[in-house]
Amino acid sequence: EAQVTQNPRYLITVTGKKLTVTCSQNMNHEYMSWYRQDPGLGLRQIYYSMNVEVTDKGDVPEGYKVSRKEKRNFPLILESPSPNQTSLYFCASSSGRTVRPQHFGDGTRLSIL
Amino acid sequence: QKEVEQNSGPLSVPEGAIASLNCTYSDRGSQSFFWYRQYSGKSPELIMSIYSNGDKEDGRFTAQLNKASQYVSLLIRDSQPSDSATYLCAVTRGADGLTFGKGTHLIIQP
């Protein structure tokens, strides 16, 4: 089954404690991206990757890091999380080089206290 | 700063009627346009893509694009209660990031 898997689905943590949200896709997609969704602000792109070892900033990259060492994985790293990073996060992927996220993960709800 | 504007709603439409959702964008260099549907508590689902001026139809859905007016719309014919969701408009220049609107909350009244 084609899918994008995010882990964890839910996380409550404290300010400053480094965390990683993993994202893995089994469709051999080149394009992967991360979004955060906040009430009243909608869905905003954090980072995206067109291929292995190629990553670019989206609209709200501050406070986040990503890496794309393998085609299937695109982890989101919060080196020093802060309460303003409390949000619902989605990972997405699509085939080819088209920026057209077709498959979204189920989301990760992060709460930073 | 690229912006995508949508009326947040809620937009209430009787069952069986046509629902019309609108979106405007600020970046004239935008080349690709998408509509996503998102049910409460779920992830977005791509329902339509459109790349050139005019209409594109897929089942009960029609996407309309007018690049001169920087305007994209989504029509849902024969609206069903299951169409009740938030609809997100998204645009991109192509090989760059994707910018979403804040979404329109659509309610189909039985």
Side-chain angles (χ1 to χ4, degrees):
Chain A
E1 180 190 352
Q3 59 185 356
V4 177
T5 303
Q6 294 179 230
N7 279 298
R9 292 290 315 281
Y10 305 91
L11 179 64
I12 300 174
T13 187
V14 297
T15 299
K17 186 176 180 182
K18 180 180 179 180
L19 67 91
T20 299
V21 184
T22 63
C23 175
S24 180
Q25 49 94 2
N26 64 358
M27 296 162 281
N28 202 37
H29 283 170
E30 293 181 328
Y31 177 88
M32 297 185 74
S33 56
W34 276 104
Y35 303 86
R36 61 178 289 175
Q37 189 169 36
D38 303 287
L41 296 177
L43 204 61
R44 295 177 292 170
Q45 190 169 50
I46 302 171
Y47 271 95
Y48 62 97
S49 170
M50 301 296 281
N51 213 330
V52 176
E53 301 294 357
V54 179
T55 62
D56 284 291
K57 296 178 181 179
D59 294 326
V60 288
E62 295 79 19
Y64 304 95
K65 287 175 58 176
V66 293
S67 67
R68 189 88 183 273
K69 294 184 172 60
E70 306 167 282
K71 200 170 189 178
R72 64 181 290 124
N73 296 322
F74 191 44
L76 180 69
I77 304 159
L78 285 71
E79 293 270 3
S80 182
S82 62
N84 64 11
Q85 294 178 296
T86 293
S87 187
L88 177 60
Y89 291 84
F90 288 105
C91 180
S93 73
S94 63
S95 58
R97 290 185 173 274
T98 57
V99 179
R100 183 189 62 183
Q102 296 163 295
H103 299 268
F104 278 78
D106 289 335
T108 295
R109 189 166 292 280
L110 281 183
S111 293
I112 316 292
L113 304 179
Chain B
Q1 180 77 10
K2 293 179 283 186
E3 294 183 347
V4 177
E5 300 287 342
Q6 295 181 255
N7 189 322
S8 61
L11 174 65
S12 187
V13 173
E15 183 176 356
I18 296 175
S20 178
L21 305 163
N22 303 316
C23 170
T24 59
Y25 59 94
S26 64
D27 183 3
R28 285 199 169 272
S30 299
Q31 296 292 324
S32 306
F33 307 86
F34 312 104
W35 283 100
Y36 290 82
R37 177 176 62 199
Q38 187 175 25
Y39 294 113
S40 181
K42 300 295 185 181
S43 55
E45 172 191 8
L46 179 65
I47 55 172
M48 290 290 286
S49 305
I50 188 166
Y51 304 99
S52 56
N53 281 331
D55 294 0
K56 179 182 178 182
E57 187 174 317
D58 184 0
R60 296 186 297 111
F61 298 99
T62 298
Q64 299 175 316
L65 174 60
N66 184 326
K67 289 186 178 180
S69 300
Q70 296 176 243
Y71 177 90
V72 193
S73 66
L74 179 71
L75 302 178
I76 307 174
R77 290 182 300 281
D78 187 23
S79 297
Q80 303 297 310
S82 60
D83 294 326
S84 297
T86 296
Y87 289 80
L88 306 172
C89 174
V91 306
T92 179
R93 281 177 167 249
D96 67 346
L98 192 62
T99 301
F100 282 84
K102 295 177 183 179
T104 297
H105 184 203
L106 176 65
I107 299 172
I108 307 300
Q109 295 181 322

